[in-house]
Amino acid sequence: MTDALVAFLRARFAEELEKARFASGTVTKDPERFGVAPEDAARHARFSVATAEVRLALLEDTVIPHLGTEGAAGRTVEYQLRLLAAPYVEHKDYPHE
């Protein structure tokens, strides 16, 4: 289950990063079309991309390397993985046990 959940989250987070980059580029090119001030569009674009990048980094750098660890640390990292996956539980591809 853990391997399937890791693969699932990698795909979702990469997808979210791609969407954030695309949306950011679209909105910052023509913010008036969306009724947004240029500085607000740029700020939101940076925030959206950074949020997606941080989720991916959290998964890759702090969760995955410690999966399978014994004891309390292992239980904590497994819990962190499940917390990262929680918003996607209704996704059609979520790997239910």
Side-chain angles (χ1 to χ4, degrees):
M1 169 63 174
T2 300
D3 291 340
L5 196 52
V6 166
F8 172 80
L9 283 176
R10 276 183 171 142
R12 295 297 72 74
F13 290 172
E15 183 179 84
E16 286 182 12
L17 180 55
E18 183 180 326
K19 286 179 182 178
R21 287 178 175 155
F22 176 79
S24 295
T26 301
V27 172
T28 55
K29 285 180 186 169
D30 190 10
E32 292 81 20
R33 175 179 170 208
F34 299 98
V36 180
E39 59 276 0
D40 291 338
R43 187 174 22 259
H44 184 70
R46 287 189 304 274
F47 176 80
S48 297
V49 171
T51 299
E53 289 173 340
V54 165
R55 284 186 187 146
L56 193 53
L58 180 65
L59 178 67
E60 294 292 342
D61 299 342
T62 67
V63 174
I64 292 172
H66 303 286
L67 286 170
T69 302
E70 296 293 323
R75 287 189 301 276
T76 299
V77 80
E78 177 100 11
Y79 182 61
Q80 289 171 334
L81 179 67
R82 293 185 186 285
L83 284 174
L84 288 171
Y88 303 96
V89 74
E90 298 298 325
H91 190 281
K92 66 179 178 68
D93 296 329
Y94 187 90
H96 294 283
E97 295 179 291

